[in-house]
């Protein structure tokens, strides 16, 4: 295989891995259950999320604004849960249940709620530096091997 073909294949590989990583990131960011504002000016209740008791991450849909959600369990005491510091630069801090069974969740601002696989995928794609660096290495390593170490056949002129 000549050098141009090898470089073309490695560039194609990098583009493919980059697209897969971008799709994974997009799925992680846009996954979860969107919950609109629950209380209105008239005091009527709005959308309710049924929480199954798995760890849950609540993030506000409005940047820079924290959300307060009221959790009313079927068996246990109701509590208010705040989304302030639910996630940082390199971590997520999901809410763990203090009750058994399920609960109803209503929030004062629009939020996105992630549990189970969507929470794990969100944490991997947005917070885990090992996964992010690993994707970059997998995408670029073959290209570097070809260009830096000179793999592939070279045509020599006599």
């Amino acid at each position: 295989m000549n050098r141009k073909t090898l470089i073309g294949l490695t560039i194609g590989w990098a583009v493919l891995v980059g697209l897969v990583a971008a799709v994974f990131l997009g799925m992680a960011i846009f996954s979860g259950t969107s919950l609109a504002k629950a209380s209105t000016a008239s005091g009527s209740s709005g959308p309710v999320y049924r929480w199954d008791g798995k760890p849950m991450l609540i993030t506000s849909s409005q940047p820079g604004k924290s959300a307060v959600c009221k959790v009313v369990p079927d068996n246990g005491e109701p509590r208010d849960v705040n989304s302030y510091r639910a996630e940082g630069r390199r971590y997520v801090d999901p809410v763990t249940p203090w009750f058994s069974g399920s609960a109803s969740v209503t929030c004062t601002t629009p939020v996105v709620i992630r549990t189970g696989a969507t929470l794990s995928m969100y944490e991997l794609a947005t917070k885990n530096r090992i996964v992010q660096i690993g994707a970059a290495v997998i995408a670029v390593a073959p290209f570097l091997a070809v260009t830096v170490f000179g793999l592939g056949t070279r045509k020599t002129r006599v």
Side-chain angles (χ1 to χ4, degrees):
M1 186 179 302
N2 70 19
R3 191 169 170 82
K4 279 188 177 181
T5 305
L6 199 56
I7 289 174
L9 285 173
T10 57
I11 290 172
W13 171 256
V15 169
L16 178 67
V17 171
L19 286 174
V20 168
V23 167
F24 183 69
L25 179 64
M27 286 173 47
I29 290 174
F30 297 113
S31 66
T33 303
S34 295
L35 187 64
K37 186 176 177 178
S39 58
T40 61
S42 63
S44 62
S45 63
V48 176
Y49 176 77
R50 287 299 293 173
W51 183 18
D52 59 1
K54 295 177 184 172
M56 170 178 67
L57 177 67
I58 299 172
T59 54
S60 177
S61 296
Q62 299 171 342
K65 189 173 184 181
S66 64
V68 177
C69 296
K70 181 150 188 83
V71 179
V72 181
D74 296 338
N75 302 317
E77 67 178 61
R79 288 188 191 172
D80 286 339
V81 176
N82 195 333
S83 69
Y84 181 70
R85 296 206 182 213
E87 66 176 312
R89 219 174 183 179
R90 292 190 174 95
Y91 71 91
V92 294
D93 187 18
V95 178
T96 54
W98 60 91
F99 55 87
S100 61
S102 59
S104 299
V105 179
T106 55
C107 300
T108 57
T109 58
V111 296
V112 176
I113 298 175
R114 294 177 178 90
T115 61
T118 58
L119 174 59
S120 299
M121 187 169 48
Y122 180 77
E123 187 173 13
L124 273 176
T126 61
K127 308 298 179 193
N128 194 324
R129 295 289 181 232
I130 293 172
V131 170
Q132 295 167 347
I133 292 169
V137 167
I138 290 170
V140 177
F143 183 73
L144 290 176
V146 168
T147 56
V148 173
F149 299 114
L151 301 177
T153 59
R154 294 184 187 183
K155 293 183 181 180
T156 57
R157 295 184 183 195
V158 181

